[in-house]
Amino acid sequence: IEGEVENPVTLTWKEFLALPQTISTSDFHCVEGWSVLDNKWQGVRIQDIEALVKPRPVAMAVTFESADGYTTSLYRTELAGDDVMLVHRLNDKALEEGWGFPVRLIVPNKYAYKSALWVTKLRFTRGKELGFWEKRGYSDSADVWKNDRFRR
């Protein structure tokens, strides 16, 4: 976890699991039109990550990088919810590889392309950066409740 923070950190798996753990139930929405309801996630809230690294006042967004090179970025205000987490468990079981093992981001009020799989790095930035799908025409806001799927 790096960038515009006072306390950059590299966490081992054991250190990540030692952070405050939260359980949250939320729905998961794909831009293709399907949803999976009432998922029980366990992981670390982004709020708790921020308490650890202490973002500088200029840090307005976070870019998430994945093991496969995928990226997405969200404003810190979009990450402030109690249900926005880096998760490692789904429905009381460790995440499966296809669901993002060992760690994925979950942002319930955004389409799933904002919930990056296989997260390896968080970079706090001064502004939002377009990620993989946003560069290819998908909406940067990805707001499920506004059906905001594609850039206009």
Side-chain angles (χ1 to χ4, degrees):
I1 305 167
E2 61 185 33
E4 296 291 348
V5 296
E6 297 296 329
N7 184 31
V9 65
T10 299
L11 299 170
T12 66
W13 182 243
K14 187 176 179 180
E15 291 167 334
F16 175 74
L17 293 178
L19 294 174
Q21 298 289 306
T22 299
I23 294 174
S24 179
T25 300
S26 62
D27 300 337
F28 185 84
H29 305 283
C30 182
V31 72
E32 294 174 343
W34 56 266
S35 297
V36 180
L37 306 179
D38 299 324
N39 300 284
K40 181 181 175 186
W41 304 102
Q42 181 178 340
V44 179
R45 295 179 313 156
I46 298 300
Q47 294 173 21
D48 294 321
I49 295 289
E50 288 196 2
L52 175 68
V53 299
K54 298 178 178 39
R56 295 184 179 117
V58 297
M60 296 295 149
V62 181
T63 296
F64 295 84
E65 298 181 19
S66 298
D68 64 351
Y70 184 85
T71 62
T72 194
S73 181
L74 292 121
Y75 287 116
R76 288 179 55 210
T77 54
E78 297 173 297
L79 298 167
D82 285 336
D83 58 356
V84 180
M85 305 188 304
L86 291 175
V87 302
H88 57 91
R89 295 184 70 77
L90 170 59
N91 297 327
D92 298 317
K93 297 178 185 169
L95 282 179
E96 295 179 15
E97 186 175 335
W99 275 86
F101 172 85
V103 175
R104 76 167 301 150
L105 176 65
I106 290 297
V107 188
N109 63 345
K110 303 288 183 187
Y111 283 114
Y113 62 90
K114 287 294 193 179
S115 293
L117 302 158
W118 314 297
V119 173
T120 57
K121 185 184 289 187
L122 282 67
R123 189 167 28 87
F124 285 74
T125 59
R126 292 174 181 252
K128 209 171 189 189
E129 302 172 347
L130 292 180
F132 180 86
W133 284 115
E134 297 85 353
K135 289 177 182 175
R136 289 160 176 81
Y138 282 75
S139 166
D140 191 37
S141 79
D143 189 317
V144 169
W145 308 117
K146 294 181 181 175
N147 197 27
D148 190 12
R149 299 167 188 243
F150 303 103
R151 191 171 43 225
R152 295 164 213 235

